Amino acid sequence: GTVVFLIAIYVSGEIARRVLRMPSLVGEIFCGILLGPPLLDDFVPNPEAWVMFGELGLVLLVIEAGIDIDLSTLKLIGTRGFLIAFFGSIFPIGIGMLITWMLNITDTKGILAAGAVFGPTSLGIALNILRNGGVLNTPVGQLIISAAVIDDMIALVVLSQLEALGR
């Protein structure tokens, strides 16, 4: 079961890359959705273990993003990158909170949770696409990755506050 699942993910990625001329990640995500719990719950072997692998992969992805950031380019980006990340995170979180408040939801945890949903970026997708496009080590690529890392850190702070309110 596990080998079939991994082969299906790989083949889907290759089909997306070669036939559809899209990043392989698109095919891999589509395959995960298709073979995942919502549609074929019994096909995915030991789904709890896959969630654990996903969480481990997320930690490794953030480490990889940190390794891929060029500090000399980051110095050139400096304040601009931080401001892009800050407003790129705070603005969506604020919009989510505002929409929730406008829907007359007054629970602080509910408002914060709705805002937190809009905060994180997809660092993994950005990193993958920039690397495959050969622009990861350009100033624009470094700006995007730096902003995404800072953006995700801001989102983690908001989510940790949500967890603290839950206690």
Side-chain angles (χ1 to χ4, degrees):
T2 302
V3 174
V4 173
F5 186 58
L6 291 173
I7 290 172
I9 291 171
Y10 175 77
V11 169
S12 297
E14 289 300 305
I15 289 171
R17 187 173 65 83
R18 293 181 184 177
V19 176
L20 302 175
R21 300 203 188 282
M22 300 177 87
S24 62
L25 194 59
V26 173
E28 294 163 358
I29 290 172
F30 182 74
C31 182
I33 291 170
L34 186 65
L35 299 179
L39 297 179
L40 297 175
D41 193 25
D42 296 331
F43 183 79
V44 177
N46 201 2
E48 295 83 17
W50 288 101
V51 170
M52 183 190 71
F53 281 129
E55 290 173 357
L56 178 63
L58 187 61
V59 169
L60 293 174
L61 182 67
V62 172
I63 291 171
E64 180 185 6
I67 291 170
D68 282 338
I69 293 175
D70 180 18
L71 291 179
S72 60
T73 308
L74 189 59
K75 287 178 186 175
L76 294 173
I77 294 166
T79 307
R80 183 175 42 165
F82 178 77
L83 289 174
I84 289 171
F86 182 76
F87 287 109
S89 183
I90 296 301
F91 189 65
I93 291 171
I95 288 175
M97 293 173 73
L98 179 65
I99 290 170
T100 308
W101 179 76
M102 289 172 62
L103 292 172
N104 292 325
I105 297 174
T106 57
D107 177 36
T108 306
K109 285 192 304 186
I111 292 173
L112 191 57
V117 168
F118 291 97
T121 59
S122 183
L123 179 62
I125 292 173
L127 192 62
N128 190 325
I129 290 173
L130 291 172
R131 182 178 298 117
N132 290 341
V135 295
L136 180 62
N137 292 320
T138 64
V140 172
Q142 290 294 299
L143 175 65
I144 292 169
I145 292 302
S146 302
V149 168
I150 294 167
D151 190 26
D152 282 355
M153 287 191 294
I154 292 170
L156 286 173
V157 169
V158 171
L159 290 170
S160 70
Q161 294 305 309
L162 182 63
E163 182 181 352
L165 283 174
R167 292 182 194 158

